[in-house]
Amino acid sequence: MRLKLSLIPQNGKFSRPNKHAVQGFIYHMLKGTEYGQRHDQPKFKFFTFSDFFVDREGKATFLVSSPDSGFIRALQSAVKERESVYIGNDEYRVVEIKKFKLPLRNRFQTGSPIVIYRNSEEDEYFKLHAHRDLWFFLERLKDNAERKYNAFYNDDFILEGPLFDRLIPKVRNNNKLDVYVKVVKNGVPFPVIGSNWELLEKERIEPQERKFYRFIMEAGLGEKNSLGFGFLNPIRGEGRA
């Protein structure tokens, strides 16, 4: 399930919020609900959010997704009670809040960079441009997705075959494949490195795999989902899975 949030900065000037500030906003909104302790729970948080996109009128919109529909409903109820909200130090007027579901399809693109570790013990991120190991990237994504799915559903599902059959990375203007995002936590900045994708395609999603692919569509791919990484959008124009 997904929640669309459209906001207008009260000072009339949009400054892209830091991802840690957006995460903090979500946790703050959930205080007093059954999800109020989600921040303190170990391991997977089972939600992610997209990057912001801004229209010509200055309205800033982002999406929150989760396989837990109760999580989305609780967030929607909390935001609906307010005319304005704070993300970091900036105040925004809430102009639209909409809960919705999307049909599962077999083609996706990223709404925020996908992040995986090459070596988590050394805090080393996988860099698509430098490491050039697509097999490692796919295997690590698949393993991470299976672990999250099995933790959420208390299952032991294993996906047969590759996670995706066709991948097209999004190349930036400087011909770079990797995206460096500065995240600031408690005043301390640190870089997170990921990659955006024009296409992530599974040629055929079998009936027994649909629940799994719907889960990753809403929970996000890779690491640091609750910091707004790994957000997926199904691509319209193709048949449903």
Side-chain angles (χ1 to χ4, degrees):
M1 185 171 282
R2 300 186 170 209
L3 189 67
K4 177 183 178 183
L5 286 165
S6 295
L7 314 168
I8 292 180
Q10 292 285 39
N11 64 3
K13 183 178 180 180
F14 176 74
S15 177
R16 195 167 300 275
N18 183 272
K19 282 185 172 291
H20 189 261
V22 181
Q23 182 196 59
F25 155 74
I26 292 172
Y27 286 140
H28 179 72
M29 289 294 101
L30 293 170
K31 284 184 178 179
T33 75
E34 62 180 298
Y35 299 94
Q37 302 301 315
R38 179 61 61 91
H39 179 268
D40 299 320
Q41 294 173 352
K43 284 210 166 182
F44 307 121
K45 305 298 190 278
F46 303 116
F47 77 90
T48 189
F49 54 89
S50 71
D51 290 341
F52 280 76
F53 47 98
V54 184
D55 65 18
R56 293 181 179 179
E57 286 71 39
K59 182 175 67 176
T61 298
F62 73 106
L63 305 172
V64 183
S65 67
S66 174
D68 185 343
S69 58
F71 179 95
I72 295 296
R73 285 194 295 267
L75 182 59
Q76 180 193 33
S77 295
V79 178
K80 281 181 70 174
E81 295 178 354
R82 300 165 182 260
E83 292 184 358
S84 66
V85 296
Y86 279 89
I87 300 180
N89 294 322
D90 297 322
E91 185 179 9
Y92 296 85
R93 178 164 56 90
V94 180
V95 294
E96 183 182 6
I97 178 168
K98 180 181 179 182
K99 173 170 57 63
F100 63 100
K101 291 183 179 180
L102 290 175
L104 176 64
R105 302 185 184 275
N106 67 326
R107 304 168 78 236
F108 307 91
Q109 61 184 193
T110 54
S112 65
I114 294 175
V115 174
I116 62 171
Y117 282 110
R118 189 168 187 263
N119 188 329
S120 58
E121 293 182 359
E122 297 182 5
D123 205 29
E124 180 188 7
Y125 294 106
F126 175 83
K127 303 179 186 69
L128 190 64
H129 185 81
H131 297 132
R132 296 182 178 275
D133 190 343
L134 197 56
W135 180 254
F136 176 90
F137 178 79
L138 278 172
E139 284 297 296
R140 184 59 63 89
L141 276 187
K142 179 181 174 181
D143 175 72
N144 178 270
E146 289 172 343
R147 287 189 289 110
K148 281 188 294 200
Y149 177 89
N150 290 327
F152 187 78
Y153 287 111
N154 192 25
D155 202 348
D156 56 359
F157 175 82
I158 296 176
L159 178 69
E160 299 294 331
L163 186 63
F164 297 110
D165 300 308
R166 185 178 176 218
L167 300 88
I168 301 176
K170 185 175 183 179
V171 182
R172 299 165 64 195
N173 292 335
N174 55 5
N175 292 323
K176 296 292 185 181
L177 298 173
D178 300 303
V179 180
Y180 289 70
V181 180
K182 184 175 73 172
V183 177
V184 180
K185 183 177 181 180
N186 298 325
V188 179
F190 61 93
V192 177
I193 303 169
S195 54
N196 278 312
W197 296 82
E198 298 280 2
L199 178 67
L200 299 165
E201 180 178 15
K202 180 71 173 178
E203 186 172 308
R204 174 175 170 78
I205 298 177
E206 301 294 340
Q208 68 273 17
E209 298 170 345
R210 289 176 183 171
K211 186 177 177 181
F212 173 76
Y213 277 93
R214 181 172 293 280
F215 172 83
I216 65 173
M217 182 178 77
E218 303 296 15
L221 272 179
E223 311 276 356
K224 299 188 179 298
N225 299 141
S226 69
L227 264 177
F229 291 98
F231 188 94
L232 289 183
N233 282 313
I235 298 176
R236 297 179 182 179
E238 293 290 323
R240 297 187 182 185

